[in-house]
Amino acid sequence: KLSHHFFSHKGEELGYVLSGRLQMTLPHSVHKLKTGDAVYLTSETPSQWMNPGPGTARLLWMVVG
C-alpha cells in the first residue's frame, strides 16, 4: 500500500477518482481532487501524487498515448 508516488511517465495518462481524495503536485501547482474528478497528464509532465484522506482512494488510471 503506497501513500504517495513520484513518477515520470512515457505517454499521456488520464486518471479518474472513483472514491476518496488525491493530491497531485505538478511543477508549478498543486491540485486537490475528489470523487468524480479527473486529471490528464502529458508525457513531459513529471508529477507527484498522494492520498491526503483518512480512507482509501480508488483510481482508474489509463495510459492513452
Side-chain angles (χ1 to χ4, degrees):
K1 186 175 190 179
L2 296 174
S3 60
H4 67 282
H5 183 69
F6 179 83
F7 58 94
S8 182
H9 38 93
K10 294 180 170 63
E12 297 170 348
E13 297 184 17
L14 177 66
Y16 181 79
V17 182
L18 297 169
S19 65
R21 295 187 293 162
L22 179 70
Q23 180 174 303
M24 297 286 307
T25 303
L26 302 174
H28 302 288
S29 60
V30 174
H31 300 276
K32 295 181 180 181
L33 307 174
K34 62 186 181 316
T35 300
D37 288 343
V39 62
Y40 173 79
L41 301 172
T42 64
S43 60
E44 298 85 27
T45 308
S47 59
Q48 181 178 13
W49 56 266
M50 66 177 237
N51 176 1
T56 300
R58 293 179 52 231
L59 310 170
L60 175 62
W61 209 263
M62 297 170 276
V63 176
V64 294

